[in-house]
Amino acid sequence: MARVLLRLKLRLLWAGLRTGGGRGAVGFVLALLWSLVAGVVIGGLFVLARTLDARPATDATAIAFAVVLLGWVLGPVVVAGSEGTLESDRLALFPLSRRQLMPGLLLAAVAGFGGLATVLILVGAVIGMAAPSPLALVTVAAAACHLLLCAGLSRLVTTAISGAVRTRRWRDVALFAGPLLGLSVNVAIQVLTRAAIPTEPGQPGHAAGLVRGIATVARFFPSAPAALAIGYARAGRIGLALLSLVAAAALVVGVVALWGRVLDRVLTSAGTRGGRLRGEARRPLIPRWLPFLPANRLGAVAAKELRLTWRDPRQRAALLAAMFIGFVPAFSLRVFTSTNPRLALAAALPAYALASTATNQYGYDGAAHWTNVAAGDDPAADLGGKNLARLVITAPFVALLAAVAVWRASSLAYLVPGVALAAGAFGMNLGFADIASVVAPLPMPDNPSNVFSAGNSGRGLAAVGPTLGVLFGGLVFSAPLLIVLLVTSSPAVLSLASMGCVLWGAGGWWLGFGYAVRRSLPRQPELLAALSTRAT
Amino acid sequence: MVGGPAVALHGLVKRYDAKVAVAGVDLEVPAGTFFGLVGPNGAGKTTTLRMATGLLRPDAGTVVVDGVDVWRDVVTAKARMGVLPEELRLFDRLTGWELLTYNGLLRSMAREVIDARAGELLDVLGLREAAGVMVVDYSQGMRKKIGLACALLHAPRVLFLDEPFESVDPVSARTIRSVLQRFTAGGATVVFSSHVMETVERLCDAVAILHAGRIVAAGPIDEVRGGRPLEDVFVQLVGASPDAGDGLKWLGSSSA
């Protein structure tokens, strides 16, 4: 049975190469390259670590083993269903006992890109850390224990969550958690890199202290006994090395035993959870905390947009991406630390970003837009409601940046110009975005594998192109007023330029919105048809 | 509207490139009837209903609903009709209650009226307990029922339903049938598509059989049937498939 499951896993990998057109092949090659690079680089670092003292070498091993283990545990959680055919609850259909399944599933877990990277890392660890003595056997055994621990713990987690991963709630969280995890890793790397740079010439960076702190945390991970066994063996401390090895082996046995119990439960219990849906709460569509939303079509669309922006992981991700565009420059300009009063003008950044990314306002409605079309064509209310929702989302961020800048500078001089510039940028760019929304509507996929993606390959530019156009066009159109605000400090000129910004934004929005409404009013069936093409 | 048909389709045509989906449909649905539009898969039922409800622009022809030309006065016409499309795509991250409120506000209904009617519809359709649950978590039957509630909320004169009983369990189907029968008893009209002859025979006063984009038979159901089961008439009109009895003899013989 182990051979059958191993062959099944290898066939799945091979099928991944051939399916999905070019995308499958590209994904396969990228995953292979990533595994090889990660394995060779980290394994190579272990080889280079031969020269390190005992303590830093053990620290490095503890950290590396903890990172590898985290990858094995979190990988299946955030990429739920990546190995669907080998999910335990699907195997429940076959007349197989857990004793028949477990060796094969364990072997299949190792036979993959993660397994390849881990084996390369462990080979590097053995070469770099093994002492030239019989204690090298302890190093090899500890590395093997770590591999088994990774595979066993990964299987334990995937088995335990195998039923839940197919629920809507889990998918919602996982879709968002994957990219966020990637972002967190990126931020962590940047923090470490910055810490390694000396704050003053001739002074050491903080990296060494940071690494020591991380190693202390890593020693509490289940991967620690194997790492410590390798460290002690390298230092020639035979007693502690053997004790750590026994602990590592015991941990593997414990994890595998627990996995067996969980597997038993999954194989012998119902895969789906029934039960009646309950939720009588009559929560009003229009939130009470937004009393200014009118109880009509405009307010209904705005309220729907606001609720869906929070509840739909795709829209949450789009908002996060827009915030990223808006706030990264604000951080770069040091809005949160500088005392320059002109930085209140940075309040326009989130307005600029959130309006510019609204170039596909019907995209998330998709075919559900029939609800609005069937209720009678009123694109002014539909698009107006969407615009209003965007304003409600944007305003607090503008207020936050303006307030922080004013507080840091202890000056109100640029508060009005900052807010006026935000209004100008928002109006002008939203006007452009409204036109793009009705001229080039693009249905967004219902069940994307990545909430930050535009769906099928080849759609990326179609999705991002209008946003880039509005980002650039809005900047060009607003540049004269922005320059005036940046170069002058005369209150009179600032007041005039502020008024200009508001009028400029209002005019831009009015023209763009008006054109979008006039264009889409007689074309609602065509808009619906464009939104109803299946997006995958 | 007094005396005239509830729905009148004349010369309705829709092409998709070289394929003619609807090839000149002429049909009149008397007011106050339960009207079935039947046909095999791909006959053009959904396309016809989408054109009749103002969701798909026809290449030619006219549609009059409750005396209003749908494609000339689209807003007035849509105010008089309710729609339940086949592939029921909804704003499913709203709760059932929110979706009903959304539909009511789209149609400029007063909040008090929406609340009262939504409560009654949820009670009748057995969705009261799930009113605060997001529609994305509803079963297929619950989705059909909340879709029907949305279509009925504004008390339309004509209700268009595309495959309302598809993928619906018998209990939900009975609930939907009972609501629709109550609806037509009040003088309103239901036009629904289906390829389940049993349902059509049980519910409808009149029927039209659509095949390859054309109406091949239409009229009161007894007249169309001519004393035979509707399924026999249907199969005869749309062409029977070859008898599958000769093949698959191995089926049921496995001892493995």
Side-chain angles (χ1 to χ4, degrees):
Chain A
M1 185 48 57
R3 275 181 57 195
V4 171
L5 290 173
L6 180 62
R7 281 172 58 195
L8 177 59
K9 175 65 184 280
L10 294 175
R11 279 192 177 276
L12 281 171
L13 287 174
W14 181 242
L17 171 67
R18 292 183 303 163
T19 53
R23 206 168 65 162
V26 170
F28 184 93
V29 172
L30 283 178
L32 183 63
L33 274 177
W34 192 92
S35 312
L36 286 171
V37 168
V40 169
V41 168
I42 302 177
L45 285 173
F46 268 119
V47 174
L48 293 176
R50 291 185 77 91
T51 54
L52 284 179
D53 291 339
R55 177 68 196 243
T58 307
D59 282 352
T61 310
I63 292 171
F65 277 27
V67 168
V68 170
L69 187 70
L70 271 178
W72 277 87
V73 173
L74 294 180
V77 176
V78 296
V79 194
S82 61
E83 201 190 304
T85 313
L86 288 178
E87 279 174 17
S88 313
D89 63 338
R90 294 189 185 191
L91 295 169
L93 294 169
F94 300 102
L96 297 169
S97 69
R98 71 177 162 110
R99 286 183 191 283
Q100 287 174 290
L101 285 171
M102 286 175 72
L105 286 174
L106 212 54
L107 206 57
V110 179
F113 299 116
L116 175 65
T118 307
V119 167
L120 286 173
I121 290 168
L122 292 176
V123 167
V126 168
I127 295 171
M129 301 293 285
S133 70
L135 276 176
L137 286 174
V138 172
T139 308
V140 173
C145 277
H146 186 60
L147 183 64
L148 286 172
L149 179 73
C150 289
L153 207 54
S154 176
R155 281 294 178 213
L156 171 62
V157 171
T158 48
T159 306
I161 64 172
S162 60
V165 290
R166 278 192 287 283
T167 64
R168 194 263 310 160
R169 284 173 204 278
W170 183 278
R171 278 200 310 275
D172 281 3
V173 173
L175 274 171
F176 205 61
L180 271 187
L181 184 70
L183 193 68
S184 308
V185 170
N186 190 298
V187 170
I189 291 170
Q190 286 195 35
V191 167
L192 274 174
T193 312
R194 284 193 177 215
I197 299 169
T199 47
E200 288 177 26
Q203 294 294 311
H206 303 301
L210 205 58
V211 168
R212 176 65 52 84
I214 295 170
T216 307
V217 175
R219 284 171 188 244
F220 289 98
F221 274 57
S223 53
L228 289 176
I230 290 175
Y232 288 134
R234 185 172 187 267
R237 300 170 75 175
I238 186 164
L240 285 172
L242 287 173
L243 202 62
S244 301
L245 182 62
V246 169
L251 209 54
V252 170
V253 171
V255 164
V256 171
L258 187 59
W259 172 41
R261 289 176 69 92
V262 175
L263 189 61
D264 251 352
R265 184 171 53 79
V266 169
L267 291 176
T268 54
S269 59
T272 53
R273 276 172 290 178
R276 298 177 73 179
L277 290 171
R278 282 183 179 273
E280 280 190 70
R282 279 186 174 194
R283 191 157 47 178
L285 173 69
I286 298 177
R288 289 198 179 88
W289 48 272
L290 291 174
F292 56 86
L293 289 186
N296 57 18
R297 183 162 179 154
L298 181 93
V301 174
K304 183 264 290 177
E305 290 291 315
L306 289 168
R307 293 213 178 277
L308 267 54
T309 300
W310 177 244
R311 292 177 187 169
D312 182 351
R314 302 170 306 161
Q315 298 198 48
R316 237 174 13 228
L319 180 65
L320 192 73
M323 300 304 303
F324 191 74
I325 296 173
F327 273 83
V328 163
F331 277 108
S332 301
L333 290 167
R334 295 196 294 159
V335 173
F336 297 94
T337 51
S338 172
T339 54
N340 185 344
R342 275 199 174 85
L343 283 176
L345 297 177
L349 284 168
Y352 173 73
L354 282 161
S356 305
T357 48
T359 50
N360 190 23
Q361 291 174 76
Y362 289 98
Y364 292 105
D365 290 354
H369 183 61
W370 75 266
T371 308
N372 293 46
V373 180
D377 307 351
D378 189 353
D382 290 352
L383 196 55
K386 288 171 184 292
N387 284 189
L388 183 56
R390 189 59 65 148
L391 177 64
V392 170
I393 293 168
T394 306
F397 295 112
V398 171
L400 171 74
L401 275 186
V404 168
V406 165
W407 169 61
R408 293 296 305 168
S410 303
S411 164
L412 290 168
Y414 280 85
L415 174 62
V416 172
V419 174
L421 185 63
F426 185 78
M428 176 60 69
N429 288 24
L430 195 60
F432 280 122
D434 283 349
I435 296 172
S437 293
V438 299
V439 170
L442 186 69
M444 299 307 283
D446 284 333
N447 297 302
S449 53
N450 175 3
V451 281
F452 290 89
S453 78
N456 253 343
S457 52
R459 286 161 41 109
L461 193 60
V464 178
T467 296
L468 292 176
V470 173
L471 280 168
F472 180 73
L475 195 62
V476 169
F477 273 78
S478 306
L481 285 164
L482 178 61
I483 291 167
V484 171
L485 288 170
L486 283 173
V487 298
T488 189
S489 55
S490 152
V493 178
L494 280 176
S495 299
L496 275 176
S498 299
M499 277 168 47
C501 282
V502 173
L503 291 173
W504 192 241
W509 174 78
W510 185 250
L511 287 173
F513 175 77
Y515 175 79
V517 168
R518 282 195 304 281
R519 183 183 162 90
S520 61
L521 179 59
R523 294 184 178 86
Q524 287 294 300
E526 286 73 20
L527 177 64
L528 178 61
L531 293 167
S532 301
T533 53
R534 196 164 299 274
T536 53
Chain B
M1 235 285 314
V2 180
V7 181
L9 313 178
H10 294 297
L12 216 51
V13 175
K14 186 68 189 178
R15 295 182 193 85
Y16 294 104
D17 299 322
K19 181 179 164 47
V20 181
V22 174
V25 164
D26 292 292
L27 185 67
E28 290 201 346
V29 177
T33 54
F34 213 129
F35 193 92
L37 186 63
V38 299
N41 292 332
K45 302 187 295 290
T46 296
T47 307
T48 301
L49 288 183
R50 287 178 74 80
M51 288 191 287
T53 51
L55 297 177
L56 180 68
R57 196 183 303 281
D59 293 328
T62 58
V63 180
V64 177
V65 172
D66 201 37
V68 181
D69 187 323
V70 171
W71 291 97
R72 280 182 192 275
D73 187 358
V74 70
V75 174
T76 308
K78 284 176 179 175
R80 297 182 185 194
M81 64 171 95
V83 186
L84 183 76
E86 182 195 15
E87 197 183 339
L88 193 52
R89 301 288 297 279
L90 299 166
F91 292 112
D92 54 15
R93 300 281 168 155
L94 296 179
T95 65
W97 183 264
E98 289 166 352
L99 190 65
L100 278 168
T101 311
Y102 181 70
N103 272 272
L105 291 175
L106 285 187
R107 293 178 181 276
S108 306
M109 292 169 65
R111 282 293 299 272
E112 303 73 39
V113 177
I114 296 171
D115 287 354
R117 289 187 185 176
E120 277 188 64
L121 282 165
L122 290 170
D123 281 338
V124 170
L125 290 165
L127 291 173
R128 169 68 76 178
E129 283 187 358
V133 175
M134 275 196 260
V135 175
V136 71
D137 293 327
Y138 280 16
S139 67
Q140 190 63 21
M142 292 167 83
R143 286 176 73 88
K144 290 272 185 189
K145 287 195 285 188
I146 197 70
L148 181 64
C150 291
L152 288 169
L153 188 70
H154 62 291
R157 296 291 306 148
V158 183
L159 193 58
F160 291 93
L161 312 169
D162 196 356
E163 302 283 4
F165 302 105
E166 186 90 349
S167 315
V168 175
D169 67 84
V171 178
S172 297
R174 175 170 285 195
T175 308
I176 292 174
R177 274 201 306 271
S178 130
V179 170
L180 294 179
Q181 278 163 338
R182 222 185 295 183
F183 180 71
T184 48
T189 308
V190 172
V191 179
F192 84 100
S193 75
S194 180
H195 46 230
V196 183
M197 297 304 130
E198 223 174 58
T199 308
V200 175
E201 272 186 303
R202 194 178 335 160
L203 286 176
C204 294
D205 311 309
V207 67
I209 299 176
L210 193 64
H211 178 50
R214 291 179 193 281
I215 300 287
V216 291
I221 194 149
D222 290 336
E223 202 176 284
V224 172
R225 281 195 308 195
R228 291 185 295 161
L230 184 62
E231 187 173 303
D232 290 356
V233 178
F234 176 82
V235 170
Q236 184 194 334
L237 286 169
V238 304
S241 61
D243 192 347
D246 289 343
L248 306 178
K249 284 183 177 155
W250 48 269
L251 274 178
S253 63
S254 172
S255 57

